[in-house]
Amino acid sequence: MSSLACRRHDDALRSSSNYLVNIAHTLFHLLIMDFEDYSKRFKEAALSDGYEPHEIDELLQYASQLSYKDIPIIYDQQHLSYLVGYAYAFLLAVSNSQELYYKQYRIPKKNGGTRLLEEPYPSLKEIQHWILKNILQPIAIDYVSPVAKAFIPHKTLRENARFHKGKNCVVALDLHDFFGSIHFGAVYGIFSKIGYNKAVSIMLTNLCIYHDSLPQGAPTSPLLSNLVFKHIDDNIFNYCRKRGIAYTRYADDMTFSGDNIQPKRIISYVKMVTERHGFSLNEEKTNVMKKGMRQNVTGVITNQKLQVSREYRDKVRQEIYYSIKYGFADHFKRIKDLPKWIQTPDSYIRHLYGKVNFILQINPKDITFLRYKEWLKDILNNGNQ
Protein backbone atom coordinates (compact mmCIF):
# COMPACT_ATOMS: atom_id res chain seq x y z
CA MET A 1 0.00 0.00 0.00
CA SER A 2 1.43 3.46 -0.92
CA SER A 3 2.37 6.07 1.67
CA LEU A 4 -0.46 8.24 0.36
CA ALA A 5 -2.96 5.43 0.92
CA CYS A 6 -1.53 4.90 4.39
CA ARG A 7 -2.07 8.60 5.15
CA ARG A 8 -5.65 8.21 4.01
CA HIS A 9 -5.95 5.37 6.51
CA ASP A 10 -4.64 7.64 9.27
CA ASP A 11 -7.09 10.36 8.31
CA ALA A 12 -9.93 7.86 8.39
CA LEU A 13 -9.06 7.02 11.99
CA ARG A 14 -10.24 10.48 13.06
CA SER A 15 -13.65 8.85 13.33
CA SER A 16 -14.40 5.92 15.62
CA SER A 17 -13.76 3.37 12.88
CA ASN A 18 -11.46 2.93 9.92
CA TYR A 19 -13.12 3.73 6.60
CA LEU A 20 -11.72 0.73 4.75
CA VAL A 21 -13.27 -1.41 7.44
CA ASN A 22 -16.59 0.28 6.78
CA ILE A 23 -16.28 -0.52 3.08
CA ALA A 24 -15.27 -4.08 3.89
CA HIS A 25 -18.26 -4.33 6.23
CA THR A 26 -20.54 -3.28 3.40
CA LEU A 27 -18.98 -5.93 1.15
CA PHE A 28 -18.70 -8.54 3.89
CA HIS A 29 -20.48 -11.26 1.91
CA LEU A 30 -17.54 -11.67 -0.46
CA LEU A 31 -18.09 -15.43 -0.51
CA ILE A 32 -21.21 -14.92 -2.61
CA MET A 33 -19.64 -12.21 -4.76
CA ASP A 34 -17.00 -12.68 -7.44
CA PHE A 35 -13.99 -10.38 -7.33
CA GLU A 36 -15.09 -8.39 -10.37
CA ASP A 37 -18.31 -7.44 -8.62
CA TYR A 38 -16.43 -6.77 -5.39
CA SER A 39 -13.98 -4.48 -7.24
CA LYS A 40 -16.78 -2.54 -8.86
CA ARG A 41 -18.63 -1.92 -5.63
CA PHE A 42 -15.42 -1.18 -3.71
CA LYS A 43 -14.37 1.38 -6.32
CA GLU A 44 -17.73 3.12 -6.22
CA ALA A 45 -17.67 3.34 -2.43
CA ALA A 46 -14.05 4.51 -2.28
CA LEU A 47 -14.49 7.17 -5.02
CA SER A 48 -17.49 8.60 -3.22
CA ASP A 49 -15.32 8.97 -0.12
CA GLY A 50 -12.60 10.87 -1.97
CA TYR A 51 -10.01 8.19 -2.70
CA GLU A 52 -7.93 8.85 -5.80
CA PRO A 53 -8.20 6.30 -8.67
CA HIS A 54 -4.54 5.24 -8.35
CA GLU A 55 -5.02 4.66 -4.59
CA ILE A 56 -8.03 2.46 -5.28
CA ASP A 57 -6.08 0.53 -7.91
CA GLU A 58 -3.33 -0.17 -5.39
CA LEU A 59 -5.81 -1.37 -2.79
CA LEU A 60 -7.62 -3.61 -5.27
CA GLN A 61 -4.35 -5.03 -6.59
CA TYR A 62 -3.48 -5.96 -3.00
CA ALA A 63 -6.96 -7.43 -2.48
CA SER A 64 -6.90 -9.41 -5.73
CA GLN A 65 -3.78 -11.37 -4.65
CA LEU A 66 -5.58 -12.51 -1.50
CA SER A 67 -8.87 -13.21 -3.25
CA TYR A 68 -7.07 -15.39 -5.81
CA LYS A 69 -5.79 -17.57 -2.95
CA ASP A 70 -9.28 -17.79 -1.41
CA ILE A 71 -8.11 -16.19 1.82
CA PRO A 72 -9.67 -13.17 3.56
CA ILE A 73 -8.93 -9.70 2.26
CA ILE A 74 -7.51 -7.84 5.27
CA TYR A 75 -6.50 -4.22 4.68
CA ASP A 76 -5.13 -3.37 8.11
CA GLN A 77 -5.08 -4.41 11.75
CA GLN A 78 -8.42 -2.76 12.52
CA HIS A 79 -9.98 -4.70 9.66
CA LEU A 80 -8.53 -7.92 11.10
CA SER A 81 -10.12 -7.17 14.47
CA TYR A 82 -13.48 -6.74 12.78
CA LEU A 83 -13.17 -10.04 10.93
CA VAL A 84 -12.20 -12.09 13.99
CA GLY A 85 -14.91 -10.45 16.09
CA TYR A 86 -12.69 -8.99 18.82
CA ALA A 87 -11.91 -5.35 19.61
CA TYR A 88 -8.74 -3.92 18.11
CA ALA A 89 -7.58 -3.01 21.64
CA PHE A 90 -7.80 -6.68 22.62
CA LEU A 91 -5.68 -7.78 19.66
CA LEU A 92 -3.08 -5.15 20.57
CA ALA A 93 -3.09 -6.36 24.18
CA VAL A 94 -2.46 -9.95 23.09
CA SER A 95 0.29 -8.86 20.72
CA ASN A 96 2.08 -6.84 23.41
CA SER A 97 1.50 -9.09 26.46
CA GLN A 98 1.24 -12.66 25.18
CA GLU A 99 2.19 -14.16 28.55
CA LEU A 100 -1.16 -13.03 29.98
CA TYR A 101 -3.14 -15.14 27.50
CA TYR A 102 -1.57 -18.59 27.93
CA LYS A 103 -1.54 -21.24 30.63
CA GLN A 104 1.29 -23.75 30.96
CA TYR A 105 1.25 -27.36 32.10
CA ARG A 106 3.12 -30.59 31.41
CA ILE A 107 1.93 -33.86 29.88
CA PRO A 108 3.83 -37.16 29.66
CA LYS A 109 5.73 -38.18 26.52
CA LYS A 110 5.32 -41.69 25.12
CA ASN A 111 8.98 -42.50 25.69
CA GLY A 112 9.28 -40.97 29.15
CA GLY A 113 9.72 -37.44 30.43
CA THR A 114 7.20 -34.64 30.01
CA ARG A 115 6.25 -32.10 27.37
CA LEU A 116 5.45 -28.48 28.23
CA LEU A 117 2.13 -27.36 26.78
CA GLU A 118 1.39 -23.65 26.32
CA GLU A 119 -2.35 -23.46 25.80
CA PRO A 120 -4.02 -20.17 24.83
CA TYR A 121 -7.01 -18.98 26.82
CA PRO A 122 -10.40 -19.41 25.07
CA SER A 123 -10.61 -15.93 23.53
CA LEU A 124 -7.18 -16.16 21.91
CA LYS A 125 -7.77 -19.79 20.95
CA GLU A 126 -10.95 -18.72 19.14
CA ILE A 127 -8.98 -16.15 17.15
CA GLN A 128 -6.31 -18.75 16.33
CA HIS A 129 -9.00 -21.16 15.12
CA TRP A 130 -10.26 -18.38 12.82
CA ILE A 131 -6.74 -17.89 11.42
CA LEU A 132 -6.34 -21.65 10.98
CA LYS A 133 -9.66 -22.16 9.22
CA ASN A 134 -9.71 -19.05 7.04
CA ILE A 135 -6.04 -18.48 6.21
CA LEU A 136 -3.77 -21.44 6.92
CA GLN A 137 -5.93 -24.36 5.78
CA PRO A 138 -6.90 -22.80 2.41
CA ILE A 139 -3.23 -22.28 1.46
CA ALA A 140 -1.97 -25.63 2.77
CA ILE A 141 -2.31 -27.53 -0.51
CA ASP A 142 0.03 -25.08 -2.26
CA TYR A 143 2.36 -24.14 0.61
CA VAL A 144 2.96 -27.47 2.43
CA SER A 145 5.30 -30.10 1.00
CA PRO A 146 3.74 -33.45 0.01
CA VAL A 147 6.32 -35.22 2.20
CA ALA A 148 4.70 -33.73 5.34
CA LYS A 149 2.24 -36.30 6.71
CA ALA A 150 1.24 -34.81 10.08
CA PHE A 151 -1.38 -32.12 10.72
CA ILE A 152 -2.88 -32.60 7.26
CA PRO A 153 -6.50 -33.79 6.79
CA HIS A 154 -6.81 -37.45 5.75
CA LYS A 155 -3.09 -38.12 6.36
CA THR A 156 -2.18 -40.46 9.19
CA LEU A 157 0.68 -42.40 10.74
CA ARG A 158 -0.20 -45.21 8.34
CA GLU A 159 0.13 -42.85 5.38
CA ASN A 160 3.55 -41.84 6.70
CA ALA A 161 4.74 -45.41 7.31
CA ARG A 162 3.61 -47.02 4.06
CA PHE A 163 6.39 -45.36 2.05
CA HIS A 164 8.97 -47.27 4.08
CA LYS A 165 7.49 -50.78 4.04
CA GLY A 166 9.83 -53.67 3.20
CA LYS A 167 12.98 -51.60 2.63
CA ASN A 168 16.53 -52.82 3.16
CA CYS A 169 17.35 -49.88 5.41
CA VAL A 170 15.31 -47.30 7.33
CA VAL A 171 16.83 -44.21 8.95
CA ALA A 172 14.80 -42.32 11.57
CA LEU A 173 15.84 -38.81 12.64
CA ASP A 174 14.26 -36.51 15.21
CA LEU A 175 14.23 -32.71 15.23
CA HIS A 176 15.03 -31.18 18.61
CA ASP A 177 12.46 -28.70 20.02
CA PHE A 178 10.67 -28.43 16.67
CA PHE A 179 8.03 -25.79 17.52
CA GLY A 180 10.46 -23.92 19.76
CA SER A 181 12.89 -23.54 16.84
CA ILE A 182 10.34 -21.61 14.74
CA HIS A 183 10.53 -17.92 15.61
CA PHE A 184 8.80 -14.63 14.76
CA GLY A 185 10.67 -14.02 11.50
CA ALA A 186 9.77 -17.40 10.01
CA VAL A 187 6.07 -17.08 10.87
CA TYR A 188 5.97 -13.47 9.67
CA GLY A 189 7.54 -14.69 6.42
CA ILE A 190 4.60 -17.05 5.83
CA PHE A 191 1.92 -14.38 6.19
CA SER A 192 3.96 -11.93 4.13
CA LYS A 193 4.64 -14.51 1.42
CA ILE A 194 0.96 -15.27 0.89
CA GLY A 195 0.27 -11.58 0.30
CA TYR A 196 -0.58 -9.75 3.52
CA ASN A 197 0.93 -6.32 4.10
CA LYS A 198 3.46 -5.63 6.85
CA ALA A 199 1.04 -4.42 9.53
CA VAL A 200 -1.38 -7.33 9.04
CA SER A 201 1.44 -9.89 8.89
CA ILE A 202 2.94 -8.57 12.14
CA MET A 203 -0.36 -8.83 14.01
CA LEU A 204 -1.19 -12.29 12.61
CA THR A 205 2.26 -13.45 13.67
CA ASN A 206 1.92 -12.03 17.19
CA LEU A 207 -1.42 -13.79 17.56
CA CYS A 208 0.24 -17.13 16.74
CA ILE A 209 3.52 -17.03 18.68
CA TYR A 210 4.42 -17.07 22.37
CA HIS A 211 7.84 -16.12 23.76
CA ASP A 212 9.08 -15.68 20.17
CA SER A 213 8.24 -19.21 19.01
CA LEU A 214 5.34 -21.49 18.12
CA PRO A 215 3.58 -22.56 21.32
CA GLN A 216 2.82 -26.21 21.98
CA GLY A 217 -0.95 -26.16 22.37
CA ALA A 218 -1.99 -23.41 19.97
CA PRO A 219 -4.23 -24.71 17.13
CA THR A 220 -2.24 -22.72 14.57
CA SER A 221 1.20 -24.12 15.49
CA PRO A 222 1.07 -27.53 13.75
CA LEU A 223 0.13 -26.22 10.30
CA LEU A 224 2.42 -23.21 10.63
CA SER A 225 5.31 -25.58 11.33
CA ASN A 226 4.57 -27.42 8.07
CA LEU A 227 4.39 -24.14 6.17
CA VAL A 228 7.69 -22.87 7.60
CA PHE A 229 9.44 -26.19 6.97
CA LYS A 230 8.35 -26.49 3.31
CA HIS A 231 11.56 -25.20 1.74
CA ILE A 232 13.61 -27.56 3.91
CA ASP A 233 11.33 -30.49 3.03
CA ASP A 234 11.70 -29.63 -0.66
CA ASN A 235 15.50 -29.46 -0.45
CA ILE A 236 15.73 -32.80 1.32
CA PHE A 237 13.17 -34.42 -0.99
CA ASN A 238 15.11 -33.34 -4.10
CA TYR A 239 18.33 -34.72 -2.61
CA CYS A 240 16.63 -38.04 -1.82
CA ARG A 241 14.81 -38.38 -5.14
CA LYS A 242 18.08 -38.24 -7.07
CA ARG A 243 19.41 -41.11 -4.95
CA GLY A 244 16.35 -43.36 -4.89
CA ILE A 245 15.58 -42.64 -1.23
CA ALA A 246 12.04 -42.36 0.15
CA TYR A 247 11.59 -39.41 2.54
CA THR A 248 8.62 -38.45 4.72
CA ARG A 249 8.22 -36.23 7.77
CA TYR A 250 5.66 -36.65 10.52
CA ALA A 251 5.92 -33.48 12.65
CA ASP A 252 9.46 -33.67 14.08
CA ASP A 253 10.08 -37.27 12.96
CA MET A 254 12.00 -37.55 9.67
CA THR A 255 12.18 -40.98 8.01
CA PHE A 256 14.35 -42.15 5.09
CA SER A 257 14.41 -45.58 3.48
CA GLY A 258 15.70 -47.44 0.46
CA ASP A 259 17.42 -50.57 -0.78
CA ASN A 260 20.79 -48.96 -1.55
CA ILE A 261 21.31 -46.03 0.78
CA GLN A 262 24.21 -44.71 2.82
CA PRO A 263 22.92 -43.69 6.27
CA LYS A 264 25.95 -41.59 7.24
CA ARG A 265 25.62 -39.43 4.13
CA ILE A 266 21.90 -38.91 4.65
CA ILE A 267 22.38 -37.95 8.30
CA SER A 268 25.23 -35.59 7.44
CA TYR A 269 23.21 -33.88 4.69
CA VAL A 270 20.06 -33.48 6.80
CA LYS A 271 22.10 -32.14 9.71
CA MET A 272 23.68 -29.52 7.44
CA VAL A 273 20.40 -28.40 5.86
CA THR A 274 18.41 -28.21 9.09
CA GLU A 275 21.13 -26.38 11.02
CA ARG A 276 21.42 -23.85 8.20
CA HIS A 277 17.79 -22.90 8.89
CA GLY A 278 17.94 -22.84 12.68
CA PHE A 279 16.90 -26.43 13.48
CA SER A 280 18.94 -29.20 15.06
CA LEU A 281 18.78 -32.98 15.20
CA ASN A 282 18.27 -34.84 18.45
CA GLU A 283 21.16 -37.21 17.82
CA GLU A 284 20.21 -39.45 20.75
CA LYS A 285 17.11 -40.46 18.78
CA THR A 286 18.88 -41.21 15.51
CA ASN A 287 18.07 -44.79 14.56
CA VAL A 288 19.44 -46.84 11.63
CA MET A 289 17.35 -50.00 11.09
CA LYS A 290 18.65 -52.50 8.57
CA LYS A 291 16.87 -55.50 7.10
CA GLY A 292 16.46 -58.24 9.69
CA MET A 293 16.03 -55.67 12.47
CA ARG A 294 12.65 -54.41 13.59
CA GLN A 295 11.98 -51.31 11.49
CA ASN A 296 9.83 -48.91 13.49
CA VAL A 297 8.48 -45.80 11.76
CA THR A 298 6.68 -43.47 14.20
CA GLY A 299 5.36 -46.44 16.16
CA VAL A 300 4.48 -48.56 13.11
CA ILE A 301 6.39 -51.73 12.21
CA THR A 302 7.17 -51.68 8.47
CA ASN A 303 9.29 -54.81 7.83
CA GLN A 304 6.67 -56.81 5.88
CA LYS A 305 3.25 -55.36 6.55
CA LEU A 306 2.22 -52.28 8.46
CA GLN A 307 1.47 -53.23 12.04
CA VAL A 308 1.60 -51.86 15.56
CA SER A 309 4.15 -53.84 17.60
CA ARG A 310 2.95 -57.09 19.17
CA GLU A 311 4.06 -55.86 22.60
CA TYR A 312 1.89 -52.75 22.32
CA ARG A 313 -1.16 -54.68 21.11
CA ASP A 314 -0.73 -57.34 23.82
CA LYS A 315 -0.48 -54.66 26.51
CA VAL A 316 -3.70 -53.02 25.33
CA ARG A 317 -5.45 -56.40 25.19
CA GLN A 318 -4.35 -57.04 28.76
CA GLU A 319 -5.67 -53.67 29.92
CA ILE A 320 -9.01 -54.39 28.26
CA TYR A 321 -9.13 -57.89 29.81
CA TYR A 322 -8.60 -56.60 33.37
CA SER A 323 -11.03 -53.74 32.81
CA ILE A 324 -13.71 -56.27 31.83
CA LYS A 325 -12.83 -58.65 34.66
CA TYR A 326 -12.70 -56.14 37.53
CA GLY A 327 -14.56 -53.13 36.10
CA PHE A 328 -12.82 -49.88 35.27
CA ALA A 329 -13.09 -48.36 38.74
CA ASP A 330 -11.53 -51.38 40.54
CA HIS A 331 -8.91 -51.99 37.83
CA PHE A 332 -7.95 -48.31 37.92
CA LYS A 333 -7.13 -48.59 41.64
CA ARG A 334 -4.76 -51.50 40.96
CA ILE A 335 -2.62 -49.70 38.37
CA LYS A 336 0.56 -48.18 39.75
CA ASP A 337 2.41 -46.76 36.72
CA LEU A 338 -0.15 -44.53 35.02
CA PRO A 339 0.83 -41.05 33.79
CA LYS A 340 0.06 -38.31 36.32
CA TRP A 341 -2.59 -36.71 34.11
CA ILE A 342 -4.75 -39.87 34.36
CA GLN A 343 -6.37 -39.29 37.75
CA THR A 344 -9.87 -40.75 37.35
CA PRO A 345 -11.43 -43.90 35.86
CA ASP A 346 -13.03 -41.71 33.19
CA SER A 347 -9.67 -40.27 32.08
CA TYR A 348 -8.27 -43.81 32.05
CA ILE A 349 -11.09 -44.98 29.76
CA ARG A 350 -10.37 -42.13 27.36
CA HIS A 351 -6.66 -42.97 27.48
CA LEU A 352 -7.44 -46.59 26.63
CA TYR A 353 -9.84 -45.51 23.88
CA GLY A 354 -7.01 -43.47 22.33
CA LYS A 355 -4.72 -46.50 22.33
CA VAL A 356 -7.35 -48.62 20.59
CA ASN A 357 -7.90 -45.88 17.99
CA PHE A 358 -4.17 -45.73 17.32
CA ILE A 359 -4.08 -49.48 16.59
CA LEU A 360 -7.11 -49.17 14.31
CA GLN A 361 -5.52 -46.25 12.51
CA ILE A 362 -2.82 -48.65 11.35
CA ASN A 363 -5.02 -51.74 10.94
CA PRO A 364 -8.59 -50.49 10.45
CA LYS A 365 -9.98 -54.01 9.82
CA ASP A 366 -8.73 -55.60 13.04
CA ILE A 367 -11.94 -57.27 14.27
CA THR A 368 -10.79 -57.63 17.89
CA PHE A 369 -9.92 -53.97 18.31
CA LEU A 370 -13.02 -52.85 16.43
CA ARG A 371 -15.00 -54.73 19.06
CA TYR A 372 -12.98 -53.10 21.84
CA LYS A 373 -13.63 -49.69 20.33
CA GLU A 374 -17.40 -50.19 20.24
CA TRP A 375 -17.37 -51.43 23.83
CA LEU A 376 -15.37 -48.43 25.04
CA LYS A 377 -17.48 -46.02 23.02
CA ASP A 378 -20.64 -47.42 24.59
CA ILE A 379 -19.18 -46.96 28.08
CA LEU A 380 -18.11 -43.38 27.33
CA ASN A 381 -21.52 -42.52 25.91
CA ASN A 382 -23.55 -44.14 28.67
CA GLY A 383 -21.24 -43.63 31.64
CA ASN A 384 -21.53 -47.30 32.62
CA GLN A 385 -18.19 -48.15 34.22
Side-chain angles (χ1 to χ4, degrees):
M1 191 180 299
S2 69
S3 58
L4 181 58
C6 288
R7 288 198 297 274
R8 283 294 181 91
H9 279 181
D10 294 338
D11 292 341
L13 287 174
R14 289 176 303 187
S15 62
S16 61
S17 61
N18 182 291
Y19 181 70
L20 281 176
V21 176
N22 291 337
I23 297 177
H25 179 80
T26 304
L27 307 180
F28 181 68
H29 299 291
L30 179 61
L31 291 177
I32 59 173
M33 183 191 310
D34 62 30
F35 190 74
E36 184 177 351
D37 190 19
Y38 175 90
S39 300
K40 179 180 178 181
R41 293 176 59 182
F42 182 96
K43 188 174 295 186
E44 290 172 354
L47 282 171
S48 68
D49 192 64
Y51 276 75
E52 296 294 334
H54 72 275
E55 295 177 281
I56 298 170
D57 288 342
E58 287 182 24
L59 291 168
L60 287 176
Q61 182 179 3
Y62 167 75
S64 68
Q65 298 173 13
L66 303 172
S67 176
Y68 178 77
K69 296 182 177 73
D70 288 327
I71 55 178
I73 296 169
I74 309 174
Y75 291 107
D76 53 30
Q77 295 181 350
Q78 291 89 344
H79 188 190
L80 174 62
S81 73
Y82 164 74
L83 290 174
V84 300
Y86 280 83
Y88 176 48
F90 177 77
L91 268 61
L92 283 176
V94 174
S95 298
N96 295 325
S97 303
Q98 295 162 349
E99 66 278 2
L100 300 178
Y101 298 92
Y102 284 86
K103 59 181 177 181
Q104 296 183 326
Y105 55 93
R106 290 189 175 274
I107 62 170
K109 294 182 179 180
K110 287 184 179 180
N111 299 321
T114 60
R115 184 188 306 277
L116 178 66
L117 279 190
E118 301 152 324
E119 184 178 1
Y121 286 121
S123 53
L124 176 55
K125 183 179 284 189
E126 184 179 17
I127 293 171
Q128 291 172 342
H129 274 297
W130 186 92
I131 295 171
L132 176 66
K133 178 182 177 182
N134 293 281
I135 298 177
L136 303 181
Q137 289 178 345
I139 65 168
I141 191 170
D142 294 322
Y143 288 86
V144 173
S145 172
V147 305
K149 305 301 179 184
F151 318 130
I152 303 294
H154 312 300
K155 292 189 177 182
T156 64
L157 286 167
R158 181 183 178 86
E159 167 76 8
N160 180 64
R162 71 180 181 87
F163 290 92
H164 309 288
K165 185 176 73 172
K167 299 294 180 66
N168 282 341
C169 184
V170 177
V171 178
L173 305 179
D174 180 85
L175 290 162
H176 174 71
D177 191 20
F178 185 43
F179 283 6
S181 300
I182 298 174
H183 303 295
F184 179 96
V187 178
Y188 172 85
I190 295 300
F191 291 116
S192 178
K193 182 178 180 179
I194 63 178
Y196 287 113
N197 62 39
K198 182 177 180 180
V200 173
S201 295
I202 288 174
M203 180 160 279
L204 286 170
T205 301
N206 280 326
L207 292 170
C208 294
I209 65 168
Y210 176 61
H211 289 164
D212 192 37
S213 62
L214 291 183
Q216 292 270 5
T220 44
S221 293
L223 190 44
L224 276 170
S225 71
N226 278 341
L227 292 164
V228 168
F229 213 78
K230 182 183 187 300
H231 61 294
I232 304 175
D233 280 331
D234 289 346
N235 286 342
I236 295 173
F237 173 75
N238 289 332
Y239 173 90
C240 291
R241 181 178 57 180
K242 294 175 183 177
R243 293 160 177 80
I245 302 168
Y247 163 55
T248 63
R249 181 179 58 81
Y250 196 90
D252 54 2
D253 292 309
M254 310 171 77
T255 307
F256 306 83
S257 66
D259 294 328
N260 296 290
I261 67 176
Q262 297 175 294
K264 288 185 178 180
R265 287 193 177 182
I266 294 172
I267 295 169
S268 177
Y269 176 78
V270 174
K271 181 179 168 72
M272 176 193 68
V273 172
T274 53
E275 288 182 351
R276 185 190 302 160
H277 293 93
F279 295 89
S280 61
L281 295 180
N282 185 345
E283 297 187 17
E284 292 181 357
K285 293 187 177 181
T286 296
N287 194 3
V288 178
M289 299 162 280
K290 296 184 178 179
K291 196 170 185 178
M293 301 170 59
R294 175 183 284 185
Q295 296 175 334
N296 187 322
V297 177
T298 56
V300 183
I301 308 304
T302 62
N303 293 72
Q304 295 179 339
K305 66 176 183 177
L306 301 184
Q307 182 64 279
V308 179
S309 72
R310 179 177 296 176
E311 293 86 350
Y312 188 91
R313 285 178 286 138
D314 287 347
K315 188 175 186 305
V316 175
R317 284 195 191 98
Q318 186 181 57
E319 289 186 80
I320 295 287
Y321 170 79
Y322 285 123
S323 297
I324 295 172
K325 182 176 180 179
Y326 298 110
F328 279 106
D330 287 344
H331 174 53
F332 177 75
K333 294 176 183 178
R334 299 167 185 260
I335 307 173
K336 297 180 180 179
D337 59 347
L338 281 173
K340 292 181 179 179
W341 64 271
I342 303 177
Q343 298 182 353
T344 65
D346 183 69
S347 60
Y348 173 66
I349 296 170
R350 295 180 186 281
H351 175 62
L352 199 53
Y353 187 73
K355 289 184 174 182
V356 170
N357 269 334
F358 168 65
I359 293 170
L360 289 173
Q361 186 182 116
I362 309 306
N363 298 108
K365 295 181 181 180
D366 190 308
I367 296 174
T368 299
F369 284 94
L370 283 170
R371 190 167 64 247
Y372 291 160
K373 179 178 180 178
E374 290 304 312
W375 180 64
L376 289 166
K377 185 189 296 185
D378 183 64
I379 291 170
L380 287 169
N381 290 338
N382 298 318
N384 182 19
Q385 300 175 17

